[in-house]
């Protein structure tokens, strides 16, 4: 075997080892995963959301803050590093669901060593590790049929219908590690988002 070939093989082994170490670090550090996949670090509030371990998380935030980006990072991280997970991301309507799905897809593609995608669907990512990410428009009818989700994110929750919230919340009863994130800008003193916020 020639010396140059040996050097090439050694270099490849080093690169593979570096990728394995980086993948291990990203698995336990969502803030680092955010920075690697998005190209910039999360701000303090985003970092707080990414590291939340509470079962129910509600955030009232301003426009253009980065709700959808944070949702995409959360969803992709769970699907990549927790095999067999079901991630449901609920958006207000079809257009927003499509935009969220695109961000999720790009986040998955940017993640080093991520399991490959095995589907070619406009609203669902299925990974070879058995995880699924499903992006749905905000109606109770679209959510029927899913069970035991590891993660549910309702984006623009204040503008989402109450029956959607009533449909997804019971799903967590069969998911011991399940989390529900309600992310939204303000939208009046009505609806489930306002009630949950007021009851804190």
């Amino acid at each position: 075997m020639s010396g140059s070939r040996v050097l090439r093989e050694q270099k490849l082994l080093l690169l593979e080892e570096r990728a394995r170490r980086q993948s291990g670090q990203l698995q336990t550090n969502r803030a680092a995963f955010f920075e690697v996949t998005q190209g910039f670090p999360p701000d303090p509030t985003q970092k707080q959301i990414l590291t939340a371990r509470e079962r129910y998380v509600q955030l009232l935030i301003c426009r253009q803050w980065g709700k959808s980006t944070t949702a995409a990072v959360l969803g992709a991280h769970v699907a990549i590093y927790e095999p067999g997970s079901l991630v449901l991301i609920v958006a207000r309507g079809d257009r927003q669901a499509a935009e969220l799905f695109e961000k999720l897809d790009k986040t998955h593609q940017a993640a080093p060593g991520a399991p490959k995608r095995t589907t070619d669907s406009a609203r669902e990512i299925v990974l070879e590790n058995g995880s699924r990410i499903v992006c749905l428009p905000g109606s109770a009818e679209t959510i029927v049929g899913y069970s035991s989700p590891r993660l549910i994110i309702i984006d623009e929750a204040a503008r989402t219908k109450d029956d959607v919230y009533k449909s997804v919340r019971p799903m967590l009863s069969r998911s011991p590690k399940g989390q529900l994130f309600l992310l939204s800008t303000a939208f009046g003193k009505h609806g489930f988002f306002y009630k949950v916020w007021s009851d804190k």
Side-chain angles (χ1 to χ4, degrees):
M1 185 181 294
S2 68
S4 60
R5 185 176 175 184
V6 169
L7 286 173
R8 280 199 304 272
E9 290 187 357
Q10 287 176 341
K11 187 175 181 180
L12 284 172
L13 288 171
L14 286 171
L15 289 171
E16 288 173 3
E17 178 59 29
R18 186 183 301 169
R20 278 195 293 271
R21 284 199 306 269
Q22 185 180 31
S23 181
Q25 291 166 355
L26 297 181
Q27 182 174 358
T28 57
N29 190 334
R30 286 183 180 171
F33 180 80
F34 184 109
E35 186 166 359
V36 166
T37 57
Q38 306 306 310
F40 56 91
D43 71 20
T45 306
Q46 286 171 319
K47 190 172 182 180
Q48 185 179 3
I49 298 172
L50 294 168
T51 56
R53 292 294 181 262
E54 292 83 2
R55 197 157 170 80
Y56 302 99
V57 179
Q58 182 181 28
L59 244 82
L60 179 62
I61 38 196
C62 63
R63 292 193 178 282
Q64 301 303 313
W65 171 82
K67 296 187 310 303
S68 298
T69 299
T70 306
V73 170
L74 273 171
H77 190 276
V78 168
I80 290 169
Y81 297 113
E82 298 184 35
S85 294
L86 172 61
V87 176
L88 297 179
I89 298 192
V90 182
R92 184 171 44 143
D94 282 327
R95 184 182 61 81
Q96 190 178 11
E99 289 178 0
L100 258 175
F101 182 84
E102 185 178 353
K103 288 186 178 182
L104 274 158
D105 199 17
K106 288 181 178 177
T107 300
H108 166 253
Q109 291 178 40
K116 292 180 181 178
R117 179 176 167 177
T118 62
T119 61
D120 188 18
S121 165
R123 293 289 168 80
E124 183 175 11
I125 296 172
V126 180
L127 302 181
E128 60 185 4
N129 69 353
S131 290
R132 297 167 62 204
I133 306 170
V134 186
C135 225
L136 301 166
S139 68
E141 290 79 10
T142 63
I143 295 165
V144 173
Y146 296 99
S147 62
S148 302
R150 166 62 182 85
L151 177 66
I152 304 171
I153 301 172
I154 303 182
D155 191 23
E156 283 298 356
R159 296 171 180 266
T160 303
K161 294 178 181 178
D162 288 6
D163 60 353
V164 171
Y165 179 68
K166 291 175 183 176
S167 296
V168 301
R169 190 177 169 101
M171 294 179 183
L172 295 182
S173 64
R174 295 187 178 183
S175 181
K177 292 177 63 181
Q179 288 181 289
L180 172 61
F181 284 76
L182 305 177
L183 309 179
S184 192
T185 52
F187 190 64
K189 297 182 178 182
H190 54 80
F192 76 88
F193 186 85
Y194 176 71
K195 185 177 186 307
V196 172
W197 185 268
S198 301
D199 289 346
K200 285 183 177 179

